[in-house]
Amino acid sequence: MSLFNVFEIAGSSLNAQMVRMNTTASNMANANSASSASGETYRARQPVFAPMMSAAMDNNQAAAGVQVLGIVESEAPLRREYRPDHPAADEQGYVFLPNVNVVEEMANMISASRSYETSIEVMDASKRMLQRTLMLGQ
Amino acid sequence: MPSFDDALGIHPQALALRAKRSELIAANLANADTPGYRARDIDFREVFADEASPAKLRQTNGRHLSTLGADSSGYAIKFRQPLHASIDNNSVDAQAERAAFLDNALRHQASFTFLNGRITGMLAALRGE
């Protein structure tokens, strides 16, 4: 029954967007977590999305949901700031700040929230279509 | 003797195809942020003409080739032509897909209304009131 697959597909999207929202929240929260060594500094994290092709092939259906393959850390250079009064400052008075781009994260958050809304609307519309089908002949 | 299927006309197939199409569009919307994903859809007119035509070639075995493109469900699924290129090779236009989903849902409702009318009519005829 195709309409029930819609819930699976939209549900996978809700899950993926939630992971994206979580990484964004984590990045924003740690945007100013300074540390004294570059190895210990927080790095921006991003989820990697991919279509759920294998599951779709197994169930003999053409439509595929979305899955999170994993979370990667950004390779962008860390920010190095001169703050001799900071408790985590090294001998030269420098601290390392995470490579989080706050503006990018904000845009990411809005995009994730819009995609989440769209999936909810798709589920709602499918629910109404199914309910209508159940009323057939009444 | 005509069967009940004939009385229902093309509407049951149309309803099933609408449900199938809603699944495809939901998948496009779910993958709106997936890099490299290509949006897909069925050409409703083409698939439906094949479904409803009396001269349809029946596939009685899973290994028989479809007259349309290859897919397990027998529908020809095509890639959507993107209106503009995107940096991550994703061809989903979320707004267009939402519009297509809404359009599909409305047409599903139309098919449902027609089918329901046929069934109500048959029930009235059976009761003979």
Side-chain angles (χ1 to χ4, degrees), chain A residues 2-3 5-6 9-10 12-13 17 20 49-51 53 60-66 111 115 118-119 121-122 125-126 129 132-133 135-138, chain B residues 15-16 18-20 22-24 26-35 37 40 71-73 77 98 101 104-105 108-109 112 115-116 119-120 123:
Chain A
S2 305
L3 276 174
N5 289 335
V6 173
I9 292 163
S12 74
S13 167
Q17 299 302 339
R20 190 173 168 204
F49 288 178
M53 279 303 178
N60 257 344
Q61 67 187 60
V66 62
S111 167
S115 300
T118 306
S119 293
E121 275 170 36
V122 165
S126 307
M129 279 158 87
R132 228 178 275 138
T133 315
M135 298 285 288
L136 199 64
Q138 283 179 21
Chain B
L15 216 54
R18 287 290 169 204
K20 176 77 191 165
S22 76
E23 188 193 330
L24 279 172
N28 289 345
L29 282 168
N31 284 293
D33 299 315
T34 309
Y37 182 86
R40 297 177 305 167
D71 172 53
S72 54
S73 58
I77 294 171
R98 280 176 78 155
F101 193 87
N104 192 55
H108 180 275
Q109 187 175 6
F112 169 81
L115 187 59
N116 206 22
I119 291 175
T120 326
L123 279 176

Side-chain angles (χ1 to χ4, degrees), chain B residues 14-61:
Chain B
L15 216 54
L17 203 50
R18 287 290 169 204
K20 176 77 191 165
R21 185 159 181 245
S22 76
E23 188 193 330
L24 279 172
I25 300 175
N28 289 345
L29 282 168
N31 284 293
D33 299 315
T34 309
Y37 182 86
R38 315 299 290 170
R40 297 177 305 167
D41 199 359
I42 49 175
D43 184 344
F44 191 87
R45 182 189 296 267
E46 183 186 285
V47 174
F48 193 65
D50 186 78
E51 282 273 299
S53 89
K56 188 186 169 192
L57 288 177
R58 286 197 190 281
Q59 289 165 269
T60 50
N61 189 305

